[in-house]
Amino acid sequence: IRKIGMEGSSNKMYFVRHGTSVMNSVNAVAKSPEERQAIRVNKDLMDPELNDNGRKESESKREEVSAMDIGVVYVSPLARAIQTAQIMLQNHPRRSEIPIIVHPLIRELLCCVGEIPGKFDQLKDYYSKLEGWNFDFSLFEKKDKLFYLEGLD
């Protein structure tokens, strides 16, 4: 967690990288450039979730995050980023009040299938129905302009 704050201001911004994903762990054991390239285009690794280590990394920050005065969370539409935020905020005393804005422009550069989010409607349906969470997908009104799986058919 990296904190950025303006001197003399009470406002702070925290940046958090997602936990280790399935793709990160698969890529780490690749032995050659050819293997790494094959991983980059493997459709089974599209929008990978956190692996066990990534979940543990996120869980290790829960206590620290629970003590923070958080007004809003902005998160990438990638599964691993949403999962990281969800795990870290799990025990926050104001969890249900904190808007979690899933922002279509917060993501990594498109260099492999792992940077392509899953189907938007499935993502929205799943996270919008979770009790005690305040996920906001309103910035996706113009999703037809974005490069999601719907546009790859």
Side-chain angles (χ1 to χ4, degrees):
I1 297 175
R2 295 184 188 241
K3 178 174 81 172
I4 297 175
M6 300 293 288
E7 194 171 320
S9 170
S10 62
N11 293 327
K12 296 172 187 69
M13 186 178 298
Y14 298 91
F15 289 89
V16 178
R17 184 185 187 277
H18 62 78
T20 304
S21 73
V22 172
M23 186 167 207
N24 295 137
S25 55
V26 169
N27 203 25
V29 297
K31 295 181 176 75
S32 69
E34 292 80 18
E35 283 183 33
R36 282 188 286 284
Q37 181 58 29
I39 291 166
R40 286 183 141 137
V41 297
N42 182 339
K43 287 185 179 182
D44 292 334
L45 294 172
M46 197 172 295
D47 196 15
E49 296 190 354
L50 293 177
N51 64 14
D52 289 339
N53 187 52
R55 283 187 284 281
K56 287 176 187 169
E57 292 167 342
S58 301
E59 289 167 1
S60 74
K61 296 296 181 181
R62 262 191 198 151
E63 187 174 335
E64 182 179 352
V65 170
S66 290
M68 293 177 176
D69 182 21
I70 298 174
V72 65
V73 172
Y74 291 92
V75 66
S76 162
L78 296 169
R80 59 192 175 269
I82 294 174
Q83 290 170 340
T84 298
Q86 188 178 22
I87 292 168
M88 291 174 77
L89 289 165
Q90 182 68 42
N91 297 336
H92 197 283
R94 293 184 26 258
R95 181 187 82 194
S96 64
E97 302 165 21
I98 300 170
I100 302 171
I101 299 173
V102 183
H103 200 297
L105 299 179
I106 300 175
R107 63 170 143 222
E108 300 175 38
L109 296 174
L110 183 61
C111 70
C112 65
V113 297
E115 272 83 49
I116 300 173
K119 292 195 179 270
F120 171 74
D121 291 333
Q122 291 173 348
L123 185 76
K124 183 178 177 184
D125 287 347
Y126 178 78
Y127 286 100
S128 296
K129 292 177 183 172
L130 293 177
E131 285 289 322
W133 293 91
N134 189 6
F135 284 96
D136 179 347
F137 289 88
S138 63
L139 294 175
F140 282 83
E141 291 175 9
K142 298 187 186 251
K143 68 182 174 83
D144 58 324
K145 305 266 188 234
L146 302 170
F147 62 89
Y148 287 82
L149 293 180
E150 287 87 351
L152 297 177
D153 296 336

